[in-house]
Amino acid sequence: ITEAQFLSTCYNDILAMAYSESRFDNKAVGDQGRSHGPFQIQTKLHNVTLEQAENYEWAAEWTLDRMVRDLDYPYLRTAAIRRHNGAGKGAEMYAVAVKSKAEEFRIAGY
């Protein structure tokens, strides 16, 4: 994978994750109040403040750093995206949806 491919893949995946999680809504709340921000970070589980979770730049960097550090993203791309959403069938469907949306964004030139 070239550096340009890496950057394009990361950018579009992160964009697609924020779209899938919250439609880019920094104030989004989910999982019965446990998840916050554009990436729906579980603040207590991950020791993240509400302000951090709602800050798009901070949350995007945290999400990407976690995927790279813990899940060998982008080489294990599907596993890393799936893990952001949890486990099980829902997480599998999430990974498929995120990758599809990332490809839409890539084709559209985002």
Side-chain angles (χ1 to χ4, degrees), residues 29-91:
V29 177
D31 297 321
Q32 293 80 44
R34 292 187 308 266
S35 298
H36 299 274
F39 293 92
Q40 290 297 282
I41 298 170
Q42 288 195 15
T43 53
K44 288 183 182 178
L45 177 66
H46 297 293
N47 197 29
V48 170
T49 68
L50 181 59
E51 292 76 21
Q52 290 168 325
E54 290 179 346
N55 179 292
Y56 189 87
E57 183 178 350
W58 189 94
E61 187 172 321
W62 179 90
T63 299
L64 184 56
D65 284 349
R66 181 173 175 256
M67 288 170 42
V68 169
R69 181 189 67 237
D70 297 345
L71 300 158
D72 203 21
Y73 176 85
Y75 302 104
L76 298 177
R77 181 179 176 217
T78 301
I81 293 170
R82 180 180 60 236
R83 183 67 183 106
H84 178 75
N85 191 258
K89 186 77 171 162

